[in-house]
mmCIF file of all heavy atoms in Angstrom:
data_model
loop_
_atom_site.group_PDB
_atom_site.id
_atom_site.type_symbol
_atom_site.label_atom_id
_atom_site.label_comp_id
_atom_site.label_asym_id
_atom_site.label_seq_id
_atom_site.Cartn_x
_atom_site.Cartn_y
_atom_site.Cartn_z
ATOM 1 N N PHE A 1 -0.764 -22.723 -4.476
ATOM 2 C CA PHE A 1 -1.764 -23.724 -4.819
ATOM 3 C C PHE A 1 -3.150 -23.111 -4.684
ATOM 4 O O PHE A 1 -3.350 -22.158 -3.933
ATOM 5 C CB PHE A 1 -1.624 -24.947 -3.901
ATOM 6 C CG PHE A 1 -0.255 -25.538 -3.953
ATOM 7 C CD1 PHE A 1 0.710 -25.154 -3.025
ATOM 8 C CD2 PHE A 1 0.098 -26.438 -4.941
ATOM 9 C CE1 PHE A 1 1.999 -25.675 -3.085
ATOM 10 C CE2 PHE A 1 1.379 -26.968 -5.005
ATOM 11 C CZ PHE A 1 2.331 -26.585 -4.073
ATOM 12 N N GLY A 2 -4.111 -23.661 -5.398
ATOM 13 C CA GLY A 2 -5.508 -23.262 -5.263
ATOM 14 C C GLY A 2 -5.757 -21.788 -5.483
ATOM 15 O O GLY A 2 -5.291 -21.208 -6.469
ATOM 16 N N ASN A 3 -6.503 -21.189 -4.546
ATOM 17 C CA ASN A 3 -6.865 -19.775 -4.653
ATOM 18 C C ASN A 3 -5.648 -18.857 -4.676
ATOM 19 O O ASN A 3 -5.650 -17.845 -5.359
ATOM 20 C CB ASN A 3 -7.789 -19.351 -3.508
ATOM 21 C CG ASN A 3 -9.189 -19.877 -3.684
ATOM 22 O OD1 ASN A 3 -9.597 -20.224 -4.784
ATOM 23 N ND2 ASN A 3 -9.923 -19.942 -2.593
ATOM 24 N N LYS A 4 -4.627 -19.213 -3.928
ATOM 25 C CA LYS A 4 -3.413 -18.386 -3.884
ATOM 26 C C LYS A 4 -2.780 -18.320 -5.281
ATOM 27 O O LYS A 4 -2.349 -17.262 -5.732
ATOM 28 C CB LYS A 4 -2.428 -18.959 -2.863
ATOM 29 C CG LYS A 4 -1.212 -18.118 -2.631
ATOM 30 C CD LYS A 4 -1.519 -17.014 -1.684
ATOM 31 C CE LYS A 4 -0.242 -16.372 -1.201
ATOM 32 N NZ LYS A 4 -0.473 -15.373 -0.195
ATOM 33 N N LYS A 5 -2.751 -19.443 -5.962
ATOM 34 C CA LYS A 5 -2.192 -19.483 -7.321
ATOM 35 C C LYS A 5 -3.046 -18.647 -8.266
ATOM 36 O O LYS A 5 -2.530 -17.819 -9.015
ATOM 37 C CB LYS A 5 -2.104 -20.913 -7.823
ATOM 38 C CG LYS A 5 -1.483 -21.039 -9.205
ATOM 39 C CD LYS A 5 -1.518 -22.463 -9.725
ATOM 40 C CE LYS A 5 -0.455 -23.281 -9.065
ATOM 41 N NZ LYS A 5 -0.270 -24.607 -9.701
ATOM 42 N N ARG A 6 -4.355 -18.853 -8.217
ATOM 43 C CA ARG A 6 -5.265 -18.112 -9.100
ATOM 44 C C ARG A 6 -5.160 -16.606 -8.841
ATOM 45 O O ARG A 6 -5.057 -15.808 -9.764
ATOM 46 C CB ARG A 6 -6.702 -18.598 -8.906
ATOM 47 C CG ARG A 6 -7.655 -18.027 -9.936
ATOM 48 C CD ARG A 6 -9.079 -18.533 -9.793
ATOM 49 N NE ARG A 6 -9.725 -17.923 -8.640
ATOM 50 C CZ ARG A 6 -10.104 -18.578 -7.540
ATOM 51 N NH1 ARG A 6 -9.919 -19.881 -7.454
ATOM 52 N NH2 ARG A 6 -10.666 -17.951 -6.548
ATOM 53 N N ASN A 7 -5.164 -16.227 -7.569
ATOM 54 C CA ASN A 7 -5.048 -14.810 -7.216
ATOM 55 C C ASN A 7 -3.701 -14.236 -7.623
ATOM 56 O O ASN A 7 -3.613 -13.081 -8.041
ATOM 57 C CB ASN A 7 -5.277 -14.603 -5.722
ATOM 58 C CG ASN A 7 -6.719 -14.834 -5.334
ATOM 59 O OD1 ASN A 7 -7.617 -14.765 -6.165
ATOM 60 N ND2 ASN A 7 -6.944 -15.133 -4.067
ATOM 61 N N GLY A 8 -2.655 -15.037 -7.500
ATOM 62 C CA GLY A 8 -1.327 -14.575 -7.905
ATOM 63 C C GLY A 8 -1.271 -14.242 -9.385
ATOM 64 O O GLY A 8 -0.807 -13.176 -9.785
ATOM 65 N N TYR A 9 -1.756 -15.164 -10.196
ATOM 66 C CA TYR A 9 -1.788 -14.904 -11.638
ATOM 67 C C TYR A 9 -2.633 -13.684 -11.962
ATOM 68 O O TYR A 9 -2.201 -12.791 -12.694
ATOM 69 C CB TYR A 9 -2.320 -16.114 -12.411
ATOM 70 C CG TYR A 9 -1.341 -17.242 -12.524
ATOM 71 C CD1 TYR A 9 -1.704 -18.541 -12.188
ATOM 72 C CD2 TYR A 9 -0.048 -17.019 -12.973
ATOM 73 C CE1 TYR A 9 -0.801 -19.582 -12.298
ATOM 74 C CE2 TYR A 9 0.857 -18.050 -13.085
ATOM 75 C CZ TYR A 9 0.481 -19.332 -12.742
ATOM 76 O OH TYR A 9 1.379 -20.351 -12.853
ATOM 77 N N ARG A 10 -3.834 -13.640 -11.396
ATOM 78 C CA ARG A 10 -4.742 -12.524 -11.695
ATOM 79 C C ARG A 10 -4.123 -11.195 -11.293
ATOM 80 O O ARG A 10 -4.081 -10.255 -12.092
ATOM 81 C CB ARG A 10 -6.074 -12.711 -10.962
ATOM 82 C CG ARG A 10 -7.034 -11.542 -11.157
ATOM 83 C CD ARG A 10 -8.249 -11.614 -10.248
ATOM 84 N NE ARG A 10 -7.976 -11.805 -8.841
ATOM 85 C CZ ARG A 10 -7.598 -10.816 -8.000
ATOM 86 N NH1 ARG A 10 -7.449 -9.593 -8.427
ATOM 87 N NH2 ARG A 10 -7.379 -11.081 -6.725
ATOM 88 N N HIS A 11 -3.645 -11.122 -10.071
ATOM 89 C CA HIS A 11 -3.177 -9.835 -9.565
ATOM 90 C C HIS A 11 -1.859 -9.401 -10.215
ATOM 91 O O HIS A 11 -1.758 -8.266 -10.705
ATOM 92 C CB HIS A 11 -3.043 -9.875 -8.046
ATOM 93 C CG HIS A 11 -2.707 -8.551 -7.463
ATOM 94 N ND1 HIS A 11 -3.551 -7.455 -7.554
ATOM 95 C CD2 HIS A 11 -1.604 -8.118 -6.796
ATOM 96 C CE1 HIS A 11 -2.990 -6.410 -6.967
ATOM 97 N NE2 HIS A 11 -1.799 -6.787 -6.503
ATOM 98 N N LEU A 12 -0.858 -10.264 -10.226
ATOM 99 C CA LEU A 12 0.440 -9.856 -10.788
ATOM 100 C C LEU A 12 0.344 -9.529 -12.276
ATOM 101 O O LEU A 12 0.843 -8.486 -12.721
ATOM 102 C CB LEU A 12 1.493 -10.938 -10.553
ATOM 103 C CG LEU A 12 1.853 -11.214 -9.104
ATOM 104 C CD1 LEU A 12 2.882 -12.336 -9.012
ATOM 105 C CD2 LEU A 12 2.361 -9.963 -8.410
ATOM 106 N N PHE A 13 -0.314 -10.381 -13.026
ATOM 107 C CA PHE A 13 -0.419 -10.138 -14.470
ATOM 108 C C PHE A 13 -1.398 -8.998 -14.763
ATOM 109 O O PHE A 13 -1.198 -8.235 -15.707
ATOM 110 C CB PHE A 13 -0.782 -11.426 -15.212
ATOM 111 C CG PHE A 13 0.348 -12.413 -15.239
ATOM 112 C CD1 PHE A 13 0.500 -13.345 -14.226
ATOM 113 C CD2 PHE A 13 1.292 -12.386 -16.250
ATOM 114 C CE1 PHE A 13 1.565 -14.246 -14.226
ATOM 115 C CE2 PHE A 13 2.362 -13.268 -16.268
ATOM 116 C CZ PHE A 13 2.501 -14.211 -15.249
ATOM 117 N N GLY A 14 -2.425 -8.850 -13.938
ATOM 118 C CA GLY A 14 -3.364 -7.739 -14.103
ATOM 119 C C GLY A 14 -2.712 -6.396 -13.853
ATOM 120 O O GLY A 14 -2.865 -5.455 -14.642
ATOM 121 N N VAL A 15 -1.976 -6.296 -12.758
ATOM 122 C CA VAL A 15 -1.272 -5.037 -12.449
ATOM 123 C C VAL A 15 -0.244 -4.745 -13.533
ATOM 124 O O VAL A 15 -0.096 -3.606 -13.980
ATOM 125 C CB VAL A 15 -0.620 -5.074 -11.044
ATOM 126 C CG1 VAL A 15 0.262 -3.849 -10.813
ATOM 127 C CG2 VAL A 15 -1.697 -5.163 -9.961
ATOM 128 N N SER A 16 0.429 -5.770 -13.998
ATOM 129 C CA SER A 16 1.423 -5.591 -15.057
ATOM 130 C C SER A 16 0.801 -4.987 -16.313
ATOM 131 O O SER A 16 1.342 -4.027 -16.892
ATOM 132 C CB SER A 16 2.064 -6.944 -15.387
ATOM 133 O OG SER A 16 2.977 -6.817 -16.447
ATOM 134 N N GLN A 17 -0.330 -5.519 -16.730
ATOM 135 C CA GLN A 17 -0.974 -5.012 -17.944
ATOM 136 C C GLN A 17 -1.525 -3.605 -17.744
ATOM 137 O O GLN A 17 -1.459 -2.771 -18.659
ATOM 138 C CB GLN A 17 -2.064 -5.977 -18.406
ATOM 139 C CG GLN A 17 -1.509 -7.304 -18.890
ATOM 140 C CD GLN A 17 -0.394 -7.140 -19.910
ATOM 141 O OE1 GLN A 17 -0.550 -6.487 -20.931
ATOM 142 N NE2 GLN A 17 0.756 -7.732 -19.626
ATOM 143 N N LEU A 18 -2.055 -3.319 -16.569
ATOM 144 C CA LEU A 18 -2.512 -1.951 -16.292
ATOM 145 C C LEU A 18 -1.335 -0.975 -16.299
ATOM 146 O O LEU A 18 -1.451 0.139 -16.811
ATOM 147 C CB LEU A 18 -3.252 -1.891 -14.958
ATOM 148 C CG LEU A 18 -4.636 -2.526 -14.949
ATOM 149 C CD1 LEU A 18 -5.155 -2.667 -13.523
ATOM 150 C CD2 LEU A 18 -5.611 -1.716 -15.798
ATOM 151 N N CYS A 19 -0.217 -1.392 -15.747
ATOM 152 C CA CYS A 19 0.983 -0.534 -15.760
ATOM 153 C C CYS A 19 1.414 -0.241 -17.201
ATOM 154 O O CYS A 19 1.747 0.897 -17.541
ATOM 155 C CB CYS A 19 2.125 -1.187 -14.990
ATOM 156 S SG CYS A 19 1.993 -1.102 -13.203
ATOM 157 N N ARG A 20 1.394 -1.264 -18.022
ATOM 158 C CA ARG A 20 1.758 -1.082 -19.432
ATOM 159 C C ARG A 20 0.790 -0.095 -20.094
ATOM 160 O O ARG A 20 1.192 0.833 -20.790
ATOM 161 C CB ARG A 20 1.742 -2.412 -20.170
ATOM 162 C CG ARG A 20 2.124 -2.289 -21.645
ATOM 163 C CD ARG A 20 1.993 -3.594 -22.398
ATOM 164 N NE ARG A 20 2.772 -4.685 -21.880
ATOM 165 C CZ ARG A 20 4.071 -4.871 -22.139
ATOM 166 N NH1 ARG A 20 4.721 -4.036 -22.905
ATOM 167 N NH2 ARG A 20 4.711 -5.908 -21.633
ATOM 168 N N LEU A 21 -0.493 -0.293 -19.875
ATOM 169 C CA LEU A 21 -1.521 0.562 -20.474
ATOM 170 C C LEU A 21 -1.386 2.017 -20.035
ATOM 171 O O LEU A 21 -1.353 2.927 -20.872
ATOM 172 C CB LEU A 21 -2.908 0.029 -20.097
ATOM 173 C CG LEU A 21 -4.098 0.906 -20.484
ATOM 174 C CD1 LEU A 21 -4.309 0.850 -21.987
ATOM 175 C CD2 LEU A 21 -5.340 0.437 -19.752
ATOM 176 N N TYR A 22 -1.309 2.238 -18.733
ATOM 177 C CA TYR A 22 -1.282 3.608 -18.219
ATOM 178 C C TYR A 22 0.080 4.287 -18.376
ATOM 179 O O TYR A 22 0.168 5.513 -18.277
ATOM 180 C CB TYR A 22 -1.723 3.648 -16.756
ATOM 181 C CG TYR A 22 -3.220 3.602 -16.588
ATOM 182 C CD1 TYR A 22 -3.864 2.411 -16.293
ATOM 183 C CD2 TYR A 22 -3.985 4.753 -16.739
ATOM 184 C CE1 TYR A 22 -5.243 2.368 -16.146
ATOM 185 C CE2 TYR A 22 -5.360 4.717 -16.595
ATOM 186 C CZ TYR A 22 -5.980 3.525 -16.299
ATOM 187 O OH TYR A 22 -7.343 3.495 -16.162
ATOM 188 N N SER A 23 1.126 3.542 -18.636
ATOM 189 C CA SER A 23 2.456 4.144 -18.781
ATOM 190 C C SER A 23 2.482 5.177 -19.903
ATOM 191 O O SER A 23 3.216 6.164 -19.816
ATOM 192 C CB SER A 23 3.514 3.074 -19.029
ATOM 193 O OG SER A 23 3.323 2.451 -20.287
ATOM 194 N N THR A 24 1.665 4.976 -20.928
ATOM 195 C CA THR A 24 1.655 5.921 -22.046
ATOM 196 C C THR A 24 1.106 7.284 -21.625
ATOM 197 O O THR A 24 1.526 8.305 -22.152
ATOM 198 C CB THR A 24 0.831 5.372 -23.226
ATOM 199 O OG1 THR A 24 -0.498 5.114 -22.794
ATOM 200 C CG2 THR A 24 1.436 4.090 -23.760
ATOM 201 N N HIS A 25 0.175 7.302 -20.661
ATOM 202 C CA HIS A 25 -0.373 8.573 -20.173
ATOM 203 C C HIS A 25 0.690 9.412 -19.466
ATOM 204 O O HIS A 25 0.595 10.628 -19.441
ATOM 205 C CB HIS A 25 -1.539 8.337 -19.201
ATOM 206 C CG HIS A 25 -2.779 7.842 -19.865
ATOM 207 N ND1 HIS A 25 -3.626 8.655 -20.586
ATOM 208 C CD2 HIS A 25 -3.322 6.598 -19.924
ATOM 209 C CE1 HIS A 25 -4.626 7.945 -21.053
ATOM 210 N NE2 HIS A 25 -4.476 6.700 -20.669
ATOM 211 N N PHE A 26 1.665 8.737 -18.880
ATOM 212 C CA PHE A 26 2.705 9.433 -18.120
ATOM 213 C C PHE A 26 4.033 9.478 -18.867
ATOM 214 O O PHE A 26 5.031 9.941 -18.331
ATOM 215 C CB PHE A 26 2.890 8.745 -16.759
ATOM 216 C CG PHE A 26 1.646 8.754 -15.930
ATOM 217 C CD1 PHE A 26 0.848 7.623 -15.834
ATOM 218 C CD2 PHE A 26 1.248 9.903 -15.259
ATOM 219 C CE1 PHE A 26 -0.310 7.623 -15.078
ATOM 220 C CE2 PHE A 26 0.091 9.915 -14.505
ATOM 221 C CZ PHE A 26 -0.691 8.773 -14.410
ATOM 222 N N GLN A 27 4.043 8.958 -20.087
ATOM 223 C CA GLN A 27 5.238 8.908 -20.925
ATOM 224 C C GLN A 27 6.396 8.212 -20.210
ATOM 225 O O GLN A 27 7.528 8.682 -20.183
ATOM 226 C CB GLN A 27 5.617 10.312 -21.398
ATOM 227 C CG GLN A 27 4.531 10.909 -22.265
ATOM 228 C CD GLN A 27 4.654 12.400 -22.447
ATOM 229 O OE1 GLN A 27 5.408 13.056 -21.757
ATOM 230 N NE2 GLN A 27 3.896 12.925 -23.378
ATOM 231 N N LEU A 28 6.065 7.057 -19.614
ATOM 232 C CA LEU A 28 7.057 6.240 -18.929
ATOM 233 C C LEU A 28 7.368 5.016 -19.778
ATOM 234 O O LEU A 28 6.588 4.637 -20.656
ATOM 235 C CB LEU A 28 6.522 5.810 -17.560
ATOM 236 C CG LEU A 28 6.160 6.943 -16.596
ATOM 237 C CD1 LEU A 28 5.555 6.383 -15.315
ATOM 238 C CD2 LEU A 28 7.370 7.807 -16.287
ATOM 239 N N ASP A 29 8.488 4.393 -19.518
ATOM 240 C CA ASP A 29 8.920 3.218 -20.269
ATOM 241 C C ASP A 29 7.937 2.062 -20.058
ATOM 242 O O ASP A 29 7.800 1.556 -18.943
ATOM 243 C CB ASP A 29 10.327 2.826 -19.817
ATOM 244 C CG ASP A 29 10.885 1.683 -20.610
ATOM 245 O OD1 ASP A 29 10.408 0.543 -20.416
ATOM 246 O OD2 ASP A 29 11.814 1.916 -21.417
ATOM 247 N N GLN A 30 7.261 1.641 -21.123
ATOM 248 C CA GLN A 30 6.242 0.589 -21.035
ATOM 249 C C GLN A 30 6.799 -0.723 -20.502
ATOM 250 O O GLN A 30 6.168 -1.387 -19.689
ATOM 251 C CB GLN A 30 5.617 0.326 -22.400
ATOM 252 C CG GLN A 30 4.598 1.322 -22.819
ATOM 253 C CD GLN A 30 3.892 0.879 -24.101
ATOM 254 O OE1 GLN A 30 4.425 0.094 -24.888
ATOM 255 N NE2 GLN A 30 2.697 1.388 -24.313
ATOM 256 N N GLY A 31 7.953 -1.102 -20.984
ATOM 257 C CA GLY A 31 8.551 -2.368 -20.563
ATOM 258 C C GLY A 31 8.889 -2.381 -19.092
ATOM 259 O O GLY A 31 8.593 -3.358 -18.379
ATOM 260 N N LEU A 32 9.512 -1.316 -18.607
ATOM 261 C CA LEU A 32 9.849 -1.235 -17.184
ATOM 262 C C LEU A 32 8.583 -1.233 -16.334
ATOM 263 O O LEU A 32 8.527 -1.872 -15.276
ATOM 264 C CB LEU A 32 10.686 0.006 -16.883
ATOM 265 C CG LEU A 32 12.071 0.094 -17.530
ATOM 266 C CD1 LEU A 32 12.790 1.346 -17.066
ATOM 267 C CD2 LEU A 32 12.889 -1.154 -17.255
ATOM 268 N N CYS A 33 7.573 -0.532 -16.800
ATOM 269 C CA CYS A 33 6.311 -0.470 -16.056
ATOM 270 C C CYS A 33 5.650 -1.842 -15.981
ATOM 271 O O CYS A 33 5.155 -2.244 -14.924
ATOM 272 C CB CYS A 33 5.372 0.553 -16.686
ATOM 273 S SG CYS A 33 5.931 2.251 -16.462
ATOM 274 N N ALA A 34 5.645 -2.560 -17.075
ATOM 275 C CA ALA A 34 5.051 -3.898 -17.079
ATOM 276 C C ALA A 34 5.804 -4.830 -16.134
ATOM 277 O O ALA A 34 5.188 -5.608 -15.393
ATOM 278 C CB ALA A 34 5.041 -4.464 -18.498
ATOM 279 N N ILE A 35 7.109 -4.717 -16.116
ATOM 280 C CA ILE A 35 7.916 -5.587 -15.253
ATOM 281 C C ILE A 35 7.744 -5.228 -13.786
ATOM 282 O O ILE A 35 7.612 -6.112 -12.940
ATOM 283 C CB ILE A 35 9.398 -5.544 -15.694
ATOM 284 C CG1 ILE A 35 9.526 -6.268 -17.037
ATOM 285 C CG2 ILE A 35 10.307 -6.154 -14.632
ATOM 286 C CD1 ILE A 35 10.823 -6.049 -17.770
ATOM 287 N N MET A 36 7.668 -3.947 -13.461
ATOM 288 C CA MET A 36 7.468 -3.579 -12.051
ATOM 289 C C MET A 36 6.102 -4.060 -11.575
ATOM 290 O O MET A 36 5.950 -4.487 -10.435
ATOM 291 C CB MET A 36 7.668 -2.088 -11.809
ATOM 292 C CG MET A 36 6.602 -1.188 -12.339
ATOM 293 S SD MET A 36 7.053 0.548 -12.119
ATOM 294 C CE MET A 36 5.506 1.307 -12.628
ATOM 295 N N GLY A 37 5.106 -4.031 -12.454
ATOM 296 C CA GLY A 37 3.793 -4.552 -12.103
ATOM 297 C C GLY A 37 3.828 -6.050 -11.858
ATOM 298 O O GLY A 37 3.203 -6.561 -10.929
#
């Protein structure tokens, strides 16, 4: 609820998208990287 919910969305989805983006630099599976994030 509240800040915890907002922070959860921001952090989990933010890390996921960064993992997807940077996975190409390391030639790693984009889908797996997004899910681990």
Side-chain angles (χ1 to χ4, degrees):
F1 304 94
N3 286 339
K4 186 81 167 185
K5 182 185 283 191
R6 189 178 74 246
N7 290 339
Y9 285 130
R10 176 190 51 80
H11 186 63
L12 295 178
F13 289 89
V15 172
S16 177
Q17 293 309 305
L18 288 168
C19 283
R20 180 185 302 278
L21 172 72
Y22 280 98
S23 67
T24 58
H25 288 283
F26 300 102
Q27 297 164 347
L28 300 176
D29 184 288
Q30 282 188 336
L32 296 183
C33 290
I35 290 166
M36 72 186 188

